[in-house]
Amino acid sequence: MWDRGAYEKLKAHFPEAILGVEESRGEVSVRVKAEEVLKVAKFLREDPELSYDMLVDLCGVDYPEREERFEVVYLLHSMKDNRRLRLKARVREGESLPSVQEVWRAANWLEREVYDMFGVRFEGHPDLRRILTWQGFEGHPLRKDYPVEGKEEGFELPPEPPDLEPPEWLKEEGDGRYMIVNMGPQHPSTHGVLRVILKLEGEQIVDAVPVLGHLHRGVEKLAETMSYLKAQTLTDRLDYTAAFSNNLAYMMAVEKLFGIEPPKRAQYIRVMLAEFSRLTSHLLWLATHALDIGAMTVFFYCFRERETILDILEAISGARLTPSFLRIGGVAKDLPDGIEERIEKFLDEFPSRIAEYEALLSKNPIWLKRTKGIGVLQPDDAINCGVTGPVLRGSGVRWDVRKALPYSSYEEFEFEVPIGERGDTYDRYLVRLEEMRQSARIIRQALRKIKDTPPGDIVIKDPYLSPPPKDQVQKEPHALLRHFKYFSEGPAPLPGEAYMSVEGPKGELGWYLVSDGTPKPYRFRVRPPCFVNLQALPLMVKGHLVADVVAVIGSIDIVLGEIDR
Amino acid sequence: MGIESRIPPGILLTTLEGIVNWARKNSIWPVTFGLACCALEMMVTSSSALDIARFGAEVFRPSPRQADLMIVAGTVTKKMAYMVRRIYDQMPEPKWVIAYGTCASSGGIFRTYNVVQGVDQIVPVDVYVPGCPPRPEALLDALMKLQEKISRERFSSRPDYVRALRPEEIR
């Protein structure tokens, strides 16, 4: 729900600083003078009526033809009544903005990312270093004048690894009391290529500094060269454990740009696939999390069910991991014959499988010792850090995008949102187990709803937004022409911007798309849940032992494809 | 490191090569090393559905010093490239590399500023597997191809082969 009243209130308080209000696709953005951003941010958070307690996203957009070239976009959320508001501030090249890091801690890494990608500096930021590329990297990749392939030809191995030295502020003080230990990026328990620099006193953790970007593939830049439909293939490869959720969030943002809504049957199919991908993601999380802590059997159990799901998904979409199954205004194909029985059979078996995992872990003394009381995250800290998803709910905040800002007909489904009490690793484990049960429940309802809708009604009938049917293409010249134009160029939305988010398996997964009226996105911004959630890692591991870092990283459930993008 | 560095010249090696290669190809230990999406499919090969243990390659070692095979599963970025090479260097001979997936083979769809266009720019690759991601069965196929390659290997063609000096060469 977008906040239309906030502008009046802000304008009354800061007549100088508030420059105007814009609305695009029903989304409200308030334009703020760059120097006054911090003051306005403080007011927005502290005013009891507004109470914007969470910074969802912060990103930059580059407009090289404007004098004030860079636009920094803040997306705010109020937990109280699920209001959203966007702030925009423009700066010239070389100018800086005040950092809002002291208001919302979530801004810390997000501002570093804007600095890294656009070269906009943030005044008062405690640690403004490059984050996705490395210190010494030349240029700012997301600027429009930076080439996608990079500036240098070929590749040569550097003489030493990038970002070898830990940051200066970590090294100070101690007289040999502290030791700095490097963990990753090649470490079996960091779930990919995460690197964490640990500052230790004996076995105890004093501080932890994640180093990101070892899987930074330049997805946001690359998508700017692709049509809206083709860019979907990149979304598969962000959170590759749950590609359907990514497809869904992205495609909904595209549909919002075009101002269309898919037919009900397509919406239900999307819900079902999104919940299946939540299951695959949670199963993978449980398998690897348990493996990290030393429980090997769970790995084999979880992969058994995961394979069953992947087989079902393959029967529906034709791919196991990277389906790219959605189309603008619907889905690519209707469900194949006989899939209902397979899904029903799986749903009948699945609760007993979860019971098996629980039998292995929930009362296992080793598991309890390793997870109970480890990595506690207080609810206030979680909201301030922008944490979403099971990690937020594990801390006892009952917030879920599916309930708070329903999309794709989720309001028609019945399900519970489980929460934890203490906010430790064990609670996050319980929350995810319960979420799996609820997902199975949603899939069953979706299957029933799909049966009630007419078969074949899976995509909107719009000659501009969808390609002509294949049999026409092979017979009629004008259909062939339209097919060619559709896939070589693609449809173009009107200029404007849109943000849509889903409750992904890891948290709020959103897309912020800016269109300039061409068939390619002008800005393709992913709101990555893992990136923001991981920021809470230092808070969660301080004072614990080295071995607990593994448990905590596992319980945040990160995937590097999405963190580094 | 391997046996080839200790063999004196002149004796008939074929039988010994056959035995050593047979042992080597049936106990390829991969290093636990996943980069991106393809790593998930690599994990599936070790699960019960496909069971990589049938090929003697189920012993995934977190330390490169105990491994024979590096499965490069995922995109190699410029930030990660140094570490990939370091892991390869830390593995003892004999060692092999599978480039699993299009990204590892050629950079794949990611022709961008931070992606190395193929891991063969950093380390020598024995088997390339296409696909984005390839099915786990494709990894097993690659493993079998590698086994074939190993069974044909000659000591003298291995990079760590050190030919012992003949008596007349010693002064």
Side-chain angles (χ1 to χ4, degrees):
Chain A
M1 194 179 76
W2 291 82
D3 192 347
R4 289 194 173 71
Y7 171 66
E8 299 298 323
K9 191 155 185 182
L10 282 174
K11 187 78 190 163
H13 258 88
F14 305 97
E16 293 284 291
I18 304 296
L19 300 175
V21 63
E22 304 166 4
E23 210 174 309
S24 163
R25 314 296 198 266
E27 301 176 0
V28 184
S29 320
V30 174
R31 276 188 49 216
V32 187
K33 216 184 229 177
E35 311 88 73
E36 311 287 339
V37 165
L38 182 60
K39 247 196 266 167
V40 175
K42 267 189 188 150
F43 177 74
L44 279 167
R45 198 181 80 126
E46 273 149 27
D47 186 79
E49 235 181 86
L50 295 167
S51 78
Y52 281 101
D53 41 9
M54 188 152 99
L55 176 74
V56 180
D57 194 15
L58 193 164
C59 67
V61 189
D62 180 19
Y63 298 95
E65 72 283 358
R66 286 187 195 164
E67 195 191 339
E68 289 170 314
R69 179 174 175 179
F70 302 109
E71 194 163 73
V72 178
V73 182
Y74 303 76
L75 178 62
L76 311 178
H77 181 86
S78 162
M79 280 285 170
K80 201 176 66 177
D81 44 7
N82 291 317
R83 266 174 300 114
R84 294 215 151 169
L85 182 69
R86 193 182 285 134
L87 296 186
K88 287 180 175 178
R90 287 181 186 174
V91 285
R92 287 190 178 81
E93 192 166 354
E95 278 183 354
S96 61
L97 281 151
S99 166
V100 294
Q101 194 265 146
E102 55 181 281
V103 186
W104 301 288
R105 246 177 294 176
N108 190 326
W109 284 10
L110 293 166
E111 284 177 352
R112 276 177 68 187
E113 197 193 327
V114 174
Y115 164 65
D116 190 0
M117 293 291 134
F118 293 93
V120 177
R121 299 194 72 89
F122 291 87
E123 216 67 49
H125 191 289
D127 187 24
L128 197 65
R129 291 175 295 131
R130 284 186 180 264
I131 185 163
L132 293 180
T133 61
W134 55 92
Q135 324 310 323
F137 184 87
E138 269 178 44
H140 299 283
L142 278 180
R143 287 188 179 189
K144 289 284 171 190
D145 47 17
Y146 193 92
V148 185
E149 291 92 4
K151 285 184 170 163
E152 47 198 91
E153 290 277 311
F155 171 71
E156 263 174 52
L157 271 182
E160 61 170 29
D163 289 346
L164 180 66
E165 284 294 304
E168 284 303 317
W169 52 268
L170 196 73
K171 286 195 275 190
E172 63 192 349
E173 72 185 315
D175 316 320
R177 225 172 110 207
Y178 302 119
M179 190 166 126
I180 289 181
V181 172
N182 184 58
M183 185 175 162
Q186 207 290 110
H187 189 283
S189 309
T190 54
H191 296 228
V193 285
L194 174 69
R195 176 178 159 209
V196 187
I197 303 172
L198 299 171
K199 185 175 181 180
L200 305 176
E201 185 179 4
E203 182 86 347
Q204 250 186 5
I205 292 156
V206 182
D207 209 343
V209 184
V211 181
L212 311 178
H214 293 98
L215 192 55
H216 177 57
R217 307 190 268 202
V219 166
E220 292 184 3
K221 182 83 182 173
L222 192 58
E224 290 172 9
T225 66
M226 294 178 164
S227 75
Y228 282 94
L229 184 62
K230 284 178 190 163
Q232 185 188 198
T233 49
L234 295 175
T235 67
D236 283 337
R237 287 153 184 85
L238 289 168
D239 179 359
Y240 36 78
T241 64
F244 277 114
S245 296
N246 299 21
N247 289 173
L248 179 57
Y250 170 68
M251 221 24 115
M252 284 196 319
V254 173
E255 281 158 6
K256 197 171 189 182
L257 269 184
F258 281 108
I260 53 168
E261 196 170 310
K264 277 283 174 194
R265 187 178 175 88
Q267 292 191 13
Y268 298 143
I269 293 178
R270 286 173 171 197
V271 166
M272 185 175 85
L273 293 174
E275 291 306 320
F276 264 129
S277 68
R278 189 184 316 279
L279 287 181
T280 54
S281 170
H282 280 7
L283 284 170
L284 182 80
W285 155 79
L286 184 59
T288 50
H289 184 38
L291 195 63
D292 290 345
I293 296 183
M296 186 105 189
T297 319
V298 188
F299 174 85
F300 293 105
Y301 280 26
C302 290
F303 266 65
R304 181 186 57 194
E305 273 73 70
R306 189 168 170 271
E307 279 303 294
T308 318
I309 298 175
L310 289 182
D311 285 346
I312 292 173
L313 291 182
E314 197 183 358
I316 296 174
S317 74
R320 288 162 55 87
L321 279 192
T322 48
S324 291
F325 185 62
L326 304 191
R327 295 293 177 266
I328 299 171
V331 294
K333 269 194 160 70
D334 209 346
L335 297 184
D337 291 335
I339 197 75
E340 284 91 353
E341 289 76 50
R342 274 171 83 178
I343 297 174
E344 291 278 3
K345 183 165 171 283
F346 167 76
L347 292 176
D348 291 339
E349 280 171 5
F350 192 55
S352 68
R353 307 293 192 182
I354 300 178
E356 279 181 11
Y357 316 146
E358 282 224 84
L360 283 173
L361 295 175
S362 288
K363 287 184 184 140
N364 181 331
I366 304 172
W367 185 258
L368 294 178
K369 267 239 146 93
R370 291 297 306 274
T371 57
K372 269 206 164 162
I374 304 294
V376 177
L377 185 65
Q378 300 300 337
D380 293 345
D381 287 338
I383 293 173
N384 197 255
C385 283
V387 169
T388 49
V391 185
L392 178 67
R393 292 192 283 276
S395 295
V397 183
R398 205 182 289 276
W399 191 79
D400 186 313
V401 184
R402 290 173 294 177
K403 290 274 187 198
L405 309 155
Y407 53 88
S408 198
S409 298
Y410 260 109
E411 65 279 1
E412 297 170 20
F413 290 85
E414 275 174 38
F415 61 97
E416 311 285 323
V417 178
I419 55 167
E421 286 161 19
R422 294 169 301 270
D424 58 3
T425 303
Y426 187 70
D427 274 8
R428 293 190 278 276
Y429 154 75
L430 288 182
V431 163
R432 287 201 182 90
L433 275 190
E434 185 54 33
E435 275 184 17
M436 287 204 260
R437 291 200 185 90
Q438 297 298 331
S439 283
R441 212 175 134 195
I442 296 173
I443 293 170
R444 209 182 272 280
Q445 295 173 41
L447 208 55
R448 225 177 20 243
K449 282 178 198 285
I450 292 169
K451 268 186 201 154
D452 295 340
T453 51
D457 186 22
I458 48 160
V459 70
I460 51 149
K461 308 267 182 300
D462 184 318
Y464 183 61
L465 292 176
S466 44
K470 202 78 182 176
D471 53 326
Q472 267 185 33
V473 174
Q474 283 156 354
K475 285 179 200 143
E476 297 163 26
H478 69 90
L480 180 65
L481 192 68
R482 205 150 62 75
H483 175 91
F484 176 73
K485 201 161 155 48
Y486 184 85
F487 284 106
S488 61
E489 193 182 281
L494 294 172
E497 56 192 4
Y499 176 85
M500 272 310 274
S501 60
V502 303
E503 179 68 31
K506 275 94 179 168
E508 177 172 346
L509 173 66
W511 253 270
Y512 173 61
L513 295 176
V514 179
S515 158
D516 59 348
T518 60
K520 292 170 183 170
Y522 187 79
R523 177 82 169 97
F524 174 99
R525 162 71 185 170
V526 191
R527 191 273 170 191
C530 300
F531 180 85
V532 184
N533 288 1
L534 187 64
Q535 247 185 116
L537 177 74
L539 274 182
M540 287 151 92
V541 296
K542 265 177 207 172
H544 288 299
L545 305 181
V546 177
D548 296 329
V549 179
V550 170
V552 173
I553 289 177
S555 81
I556 302 177
D557 189 15
I558 54 166
V559 55
L560 268 296
E562 188 194 275
I563 290 176
D564 294 340
R565 281 155 286 143
Chain B
M1 187 64 77
I3 188 169
E4 42 274 85
S5 55
R6 291 162 218 282
I7 304 283
I11 58 163
L12 207 61
L13 284 177
T14 1
T15 319
L16 184 62
E17 269 178 349
I19 295 170
V20 169
N21 286 343
W22 171 81
R24 277 181 181 163
K25 77 170 193 185
N26 288 308
S27 62
I28 305 174
W29 291 9
V31 52
T32 316
F33 171 56
L35 287 171
C37 336
C38 292
L40 292 185
E41 295 292 58
M42 183 174 82
M43 284 158 82
V44 172
T45 54
S46 68
S47 73
S48 48
L50 290 156
D51 192 13
I52 200 169
R54 292 177 294 161
F55 303 89
E58 81 279 22
V59 196
F60 279 85
R61 304 310 298 184
S63 164
R65 289 165 216 279
Q66 300 162 347
D68 313 306
L69 170 66
M70 182 158 97
I71 304 173
V72 186
T75 320
V76 183
T77 61
K78 289 183 184 169
K79 194 166 181 177
M80 189 65 193
Y82 184 92
M83 279 65 109
V84 174
R85 177 71 210 192
R86 172 75 74 87
I87 293 162
Y88 180 77
D89 286 342
Q90 284 178 346
M91 286 162 60
E93 290 280 358
K95 57 189 169 185
W96 299 278
V97 177
I98 293 179
Y100 185 58
T102 333
C103 285
S105 304
S106 71
I109 59 172
F110 298 105
R111 176 141 181 69
T112 55
Y113 50 90
N114 198 28
V115 175
V116 179
Q117 302 297 310
V119 73
D120 48 9
Q121 297 189 19
I122 310 169
V123 295
V125 176
D126 293 281
V127 184
Y128 296 88
V129 188
C132 189
R135 297 182 61 88
E137 289 91 334
L139 181 58
L140 297 184
D141 184 50
L143 199 64
M144 285 157 73
K145 289 241 160 58
L146 184 65
Q147 288 184 329
E148 257 172 55
K149 186 176 176 177
I150 294 172
S151 65
R152 286 198 310 267
E153 243 168 27
R154 312 299 300 266
F155 286 166
S156 55
S157 62
R158 288 217 45 86
D160 53 334
Y161 173 74
V162 180
R163 187 174 63 88
L165 294 173
R166 292 195 192 89
E168 63 268 24
E169 287 175 328
I170 300 168
R171 285 206 194 126

